Amino acid sequence: MAGPALAAVPLVTAVSLHTGLPAAYIRAAPKKHGTWQQIEGAALDSRRIVLIDDTARSGASLLRGARLLRIAGAQVTTAVCVLDRDAGVASLLANHRMTLSALLTDPETAP
């Protein structure tokens, strides 16, 4: 599993600790010291990765994360978020060969 820093870090960490599955974290930009990496954590080559985030609003951070993970060799077909703001993110992700699952949907946008 993987998630963008900063909001998803505690979510990815908690799920990783609970399941024992490896975790990776995606920075908005490559680190400017140390490893100089944009993705830290578990090795990604050919792994199936679930992308985790706190909120799905526009889908931009999920798509950016999926792109970076795919470039790194991961297979990304699933995204999970705590709150889906129901702004068409599921359809957007479907256009990029991904499905979105959410724990909650914004009650103000739910049918």
Side-chain angles (χ1 to χ4, degrees), residues 1 10-25 52:
M1 72 198 70
L11 297 172
V12 171
T13 301
V15 173
S16 177
L17 288 170
H18 182 73
T19 63
L21 294 171
Y25 306 95
I52 299 175

Side-chain angles (χ1 to χ4, degrees), residues 12-103:
V12 171
T13 301
V15 173
S16 177
L17 288 170
H18 182 73
T19 63
L21 294 171
Y25 306 95
I26 308 161
R27 291 188 174 86
K31 191 174 175 183
K32 298 194 186 281
H33 63 283
T35 63
W36 297 82
Q37 299 295 313
Q38 192 162 3
I39 302 173
E40 296 280 357
L44 302 173
D45 289 341
S46 300
R47 283 192 172 197
R48 291 184 336 183
I49 302 291
V50 173
L51 189 55
I52 299 175
D53 207 349
D54 63 336
T55 304
R57 289 185 186 97
S58 70
S61 69
L62 291 169
L63 285 178
R64 183 173 34 254
R67 180 179 169 272
L68 291 169
L69 291 166
R70 287 172 173 165
I71 289 169
Q75 300 171 32
V76 185
T77 59
T78 304
V80 176
C81 66
V82 175
L83 176 63
D84 179 2
R85 293 282 186 188
D86 199 26
V89 176
S91 296
L92 176 66
L93 293 181
N95 291 334
H96 293 271
R97 302 177 326 272
M98 293 177 64
T99 58
L100 176 67
S101 295
L103 296 176

